[in-house]
Amino acid sequence: MAQGFPSLVGLGNPGAEYAETRHNAGFRFLDVLLDAPARDCTTSRAFSANAGKLTVSGKDVWLLEPQTFMNHSGDAVSKFAHYYKIPAAEILVVHDELDLPPEPCG
């Protein structure tokens, strides 16, 4: 059993020049979740990411926005998941890759 909470990871590129690009679909998705009152998000240098938590159906869920460019986001996600002992099966990644075939669940 994982000691951490399940995670939602929103992918994007840091910086104002990328804010409205399609690559930031993951960032925008998590930003909507964090816009609700009483949501907490902090920047963690240890993970090179913005991290926050919210409660869904009584369970805490981590939100993570790697502050690295898309091609290096796995580094931030890996460090975060390892630190909080979150298995890959409990991480949902929100991204814009329209060219990838959907993976079967289970």
Side-chain angles (χ1 to χ4, degrees):
M1 189 73 172
Q3 292 180 2
F5 307 115
S7 265
L8 286 173
V9 176
L11 298 185
N13 285 318
E17 65 271 28
Y18 302 105
E20 298 302 318
T21 66
R22 128 183 127 98
H23 275 313
N24 279 23
F27 280 6
R28 289 195 303 269
F29 178 79
L30 293 190
D31 287 345
V32 169
L33 296 177
L34 287 168
D35 277 345
R39 300 293 188 242
D40 185 32
C41 188
T42 59
T43 300
S44 171
R45 291 179 198 240
F47 307 121
S48 301
N50 294 331
K53 252 191 284 187
L54 65 99
T55 302
V56 177
S57 299
K59 296 187 183 217
D60 288 328
V61 177
W62 284 111
L63 303 178
L64 189 74
E65 291 181 343
Q67 294 301 293
T68 56
F69 286 95
M70 291 284 285
N71 294 345
H72 298 285
S73 57
D75 296 336
V77 175
S78 177
K79 288 177 189 175
F80 185 83
H82 179 70
Y83 183 83
Y84 286 106
K85 298 180 172 81
I86 302 169
E90 293 186 22
I91 300 171
L92 176 65
V93 178
V94 181
H95 58 88
D96 71 326
E97 289 302 331
L98 304 174
D99 296 329
L100 295 176
E103 291 291 323
C105 294

